[in-house]
Amino acid sequence: MNIIRTIKGTHDILPADSKNWQNLENIVNEVCGRFGYEEIRTPIFEETRLFSRSVGENTDIVSKEMYSWEDRDGMSLTLRPELTASVVRSFIQHNLGTQAPIQRLYYMGPLFRRERPQKGRQRQFHQFGVEAFGSKYPEQDAEIIAIAWQILEECGLSNKSTLHLNSIGSTECRLDFRDALRDCIRPNLNQFSETSQKRFETNPLRILDSKADFEQKLLENAPKISDFFTENDKIDFDKLQSYLTAMGIPFSLDEKLVRGLDYYSRTVFEFRSTALGAQDALLGGGRYDGLVKTLGGKPTPGIGFAAGMERFLLGMNEQKKDSKTDIYFVCLDESVLSTCLSLSNQIRRAGYSVMTDPSRRSMKAQMREANKMNAKYAIILGQKELEDKTVVFKDLAKGDQESILQSGLIKKIEGLTK
Ligand code: AMP
């Protein structure tokens, strides 16, 4: 019979890897907590229109990558392809804006996009991200970027990553820029790729971040968004750069960085890593000052980022080795099982890890297993020990063993691990 396998572009996270995931999750929880951000968890599926309205009808994600279906009641639902839209929906639905002037949120979880799978690109992948609502000022942008930088540092990735920074200006200036860009491209439009020709109509800014050399050549004389900045766009972008410099966060200005989603305005940024190959984007984000209003909420500025957890893990080569079970409880006879189970549970309640054998194997087999697991100690319990209310306590590294009273077992373990 054919065995059933994971679907293309999805992966199991097996025990050998899950320690690395937990390590990354711990860093994210810890660093976000230090900056005063609180975790938000939203459903895996949402109404399709949440994403088409926010991410944008003409983006790759909405036009061809979403897993959508019509539910039994006729409503169109979608497995979330990103999390900002869901967080904004939740922010509006629960009136979070009235609870504090600034809402600082972070999240972690799986996302779904029907992309062509390759190294660092999957159809089910995971992101962590942060969102801050309520401030339009560049110090908020600096805080968001500082969180990203701190997490990269603690993952050992900051020296392998570059922060690309740009401003795509406020909405007013972007409309003028879009017209100017179209005017510049129009005479040579037929020399651009089919994708760019489509983007010319729908989202011409995205032509700027084309990876093709011949297109970059055609764009050599393209207008610069910075020439279209309003006075405030310019002041805020300069201030952001000075705050980053003050915090010791290196960046490189990148006029070609526009980001793929429709909702961005002003600051956009991306961390790329040299450790990753073709899919080098580790983390991307930006301002979305109009998004809360677009989704029906009171106008509220916002900024955030999302980071690919698989890509972080690919880049993190020095990963924590898992901590092995400290103690193996060797049970010599079925008649002593209940004492063995009860003592084991007392040890766990005291905060130590202990493993017992559920398959009634011989002492030799259990000792072999204890060694294989790198247990530090073995506790051995047989008929004789049961009668004496003792156990044999063995230090597996040294080979020493002694008989101790069951009532003194926890004290003994505490003494050893201090
Ligand atoms: P985005 O939501 O497209 O701005 O992506 C943010 C980050 O998520 C990227 O920088 C990647 O690290 C990661 N990412 C995006 N798409 C995928 C994917 N299909 N597979 C794995 N990681 C992804």
Side-chain angles (χ1 to χ4, degrees), residues 58-290:
N58 296 314
T59 56
D60 287 352
I61 293 182
V62 173
S63 64
K64 55 186 186 203
E65 294 171 0
M66 293 205 302
Y67 287 98
S68 304
W69 70 98
E70 190 179 304
D71 209 31
R72 290 185 188 178
D73 58 5
M75 187 183 264
S76 178
L77 303 180
T78 292
L79 293 180
R80 61 190 191 190
E82 63 114 46
L83 259 152
T84 300
S86 301
V87 174
V88 171
R89 180 210 34 77
S90 183
F91 174 85
I92 297 169
Q93 183 176 337
H94 302 287
N95 282 320
L96 296 184
T98 59
Q99 294 177 11
I102 305 292
Q103 275 290 324
R104 295 180 162 96
L105 304 169
Y106 77 97
Y107 58 76
M108 279 187 259
L111 306 174
F112 307 85
R113 293 183 195 170
R114 203 177 193 295
E115 296 196 80
R116 195 168 48 78
Q118 61 184 89
K119 189 168 176 235
R121 194 158 76 187
Q122 296 170 204
R123 290 180 171 177
Q124 176 175 341
F125 62 102
H126 298 74
Q127 285 184 343
F128 68 84
V130 305
E131 316 286 358
F133 296 93
S135 166
K136 61 180 183 182
Y137 294 113
E139 49 271 41
Q140 182 67 73
D141 306 32
E143 177 177 285
I144 289 285
I145 293 174
I147 299 175
W149 181 251
Q150 188 64 34
I151 294 175
L152 283 161
E153 255 189 0
E154 302 204 7
C155 291
L157 290 172
S158 56
N159 54 1
K160 298 179 202 160
S161 320
T162 315
L163 167 57
H164 294 252
L165 184 67
N166 192 19
S167 170
I168 52 171
S170 48
T171 319
E172 347 157 11
C173 95
R174 219 163 42 253
L175 292 179
D176 292 341
F177 174 65
R178 193 149 60 187
D179 291 343
L181 186 63
R182 280 203 182 108
D183 289 345
C184 160
I185 292 175
R186 194 171 288 110
N188 301 320
L189 185 58
N190 57 5
Q191 294 177 49
F192 280 83
S193 67
E194 208 178 305
T195 316
S196 293
Q197 292 191 27
K198 259 193 223 140
R199 285 179 177 159
F200 180 80
E201 295 302 335
T202 57
N203 194 352
L205 260 69
R206 289 222 48 210
I207 301 177
L208 287 178
D209 71 0
S210 153
K211 297 241 160 33
D213 286 344
F214 78 94
E215 291 195 316
Q216 284 305 336
K217 229 180 156 59
L218 288 168
L219 288 167
E220 252 165 16
N221 297 319
K224 289 192 186 328
I225 183 98
S226 50
D227 295 335
F228 292 77
F229 283 171
T230 63
E231 196 50 30
N232 275 344
D233 291 341
K234 196 175 149 15
I235 293 171
D236 284 353
F237 194 43
D238 287 346
K239 277 255 144 66
L240 170 59
Q241 292 171 53
S242 71
Y243 298 150
L244 292 175
T245 306
M247 288 193 292
I249 301 175
F251 57 88
S252 75
L253 294 179
D254 182 349
E255 289 234 69
K256 297 270 157 61
L257 180 70
V258 297
R259 312 260 316 125
L261 320 184
D262 272 5
Y263 53 62
Y264 286 115
S265 59
R266 304 203 287 148
T267 309
V268 289
F269 60 95
E270 199 162 271
F271 279 92
R272 296 188 196 140
S273 169
T274 47
L276 286 182
Q279 298 303 317
D280 64 351
L282 266 177
L283 177 157
R287 269 206 168 268
Y288 45 82
D289 291 342

